[in-house]
Amino acid sequence: PNLAALFCNEAQYSMALPRTFSTGAEGTPNIISMDGDSPESSSIFIGFHYYRDCVVDRQAYGVLTNFSEWTAWNNEIVNTSVEQMGFGGNIGGRYRFAWGDDDDDDDDDSNDKDSLRSNMMILEAQQTPHDWASWRLLVGNGSFFTPLELRTPHQSTSFANPCVVHDMIRSSRTRTGQQAYIATAFLPSQGNGEGEAGELLYRFLVP
């Protein structure tokens, strides 16, 4: 209910969501949108992935209604699209972000025709099961994706756990009107240049 409770990890409401698609694991959630005036009268749209057949991770969505009712469904659109790109391993962590000229950086799926921004998704996908050197990042609109060609000083090729946020403070200070973004990812030790394992951070400007 307040910042002090957050720092002390004291939740006013909590719920252990039941598994729907896997007997092994379901997790790595991201909150896409929230509606309602209180937890008892709310709708929370959540993305997550599940351990399909206890072999590979695949994408799913769910809605938590009034903090008591959980409904989930398989995200066949993303799973099929990414699989057809040749990714046979895990399709894991994802993050939605607003791309474009807008002061509102909510992580949601709204479609405002008067807005110049687009709602995009960045996610990690593995080319080969159990091969940490084959992690790649994809970006798209939630239906179609393209691989990101990231560049590092030592030519690393394996990237995972992505996140992209709009740097509104920096964007407001650019004299050219450019938008500033911050992107982060995790670099496994496998498949990457010497000394480049760990957290990666980019900051970049776009028109």
Side-chain angles (χ1 to χ4, degrees):
N2 53 53
L3 190 60
L6 175 64
F7 287 158
C8 295
N9 194 27
E10 297 176 353
Q12 185 175 359
Y13 297 88
S14 65
M15 180 180 179
L17 300 178
R19 295 174 187 166
T20 306
F21 304 110
S22 174
T23 59
E26 297 182 2
T28 317
N30 68 302
I31 296 177
I32 299 171
S33 65
M34 294 185 293
D35 294 309
D37 299 325
S38 67
E40 300 95 333
S41 179
S42 66
S43 177
I44 306 174
F45 186 27
I46 298 173
F48 65 98
H49 64 243
Y50 64 95
Y51 200 27
R52 189 180 70 183
D53 300 325
C54 293
V55 177
V56 293
D57 291 335
R58 287 297 181 265
Q59 300 294 299
Y61 284 135
V63 174
L64 178 60
T65 304
N66 301 333
F67 232 85
S68 60
E69 181 181 348
W70 172 247
T71 304
W73 62 95
N74 190 12
N75 191 343
E76 290 285 1
I77 294 176
V78 170
N79 293 333
T80 301
S81 178
V82 175
E83 288 171 354
Q84 289 178 348
M85 295 174 66
F87 291 90
N90 292 329
I91 306 173
R94 81 233 55 84
Y95 194 85
R96 287 186 175 268
F97 63 98
W99 181 266
D101 188 8
D102 196 299
D103 291 332
D104 184 5
D105 191 38
D106 289 338
D107 180 20
D108 61 26
D109 282 355
S110 64
N111 264 328
D112 183 358
K113 295 182 179 180
D114 296 327
S115 175
L116 298 177
R117 63 177 184 162
S118 299
N119 291 298
M120 306 294 289
M121 175 190 286
I122 186 171
L123 80 161
E124 61 179 11
Q126 193 180 40
Q127 294 172 325
T128 306
H130 313 299
D131 180 7
W132 282 76
S134 68
W135 281 107
R136 301 293 184 266
L137 299 186
L138 311 177
V139 65
N141 61 4
S143 298
F144 302 98
F145 296 87
T146 187
L148 287 177
E149 300 294 337
L150 301 180
R151 298 176 183 177
T152 69
H154 296 286
Q155 290 77 50
S156 291
T157 59
S158 181
F159 305 90
N161 302 120
C163 178
V164 176
V165 295
H166 183 196
D167 184 354
M168 292 184 289
I169 295 177
R170 293 293 183 182
S171 294
S172 65
R173 293 179 180 174
T174 58
R175 298 180 180 179
T176 60
Q178 293 175 303
Q179 298 296 307
Y181 289 84
I182 296 174
T184 62
F186 174 74
L187 279 70
S189 57
Q190 299 90 334
N192 288 325
E194 183 178 356
E196 289 192 336
E199 192 70 17
L200 174 69
L201 186 147
Y202 284 101
R203 180 181 174 272
F204 56 95
L205 300 175
V206 296

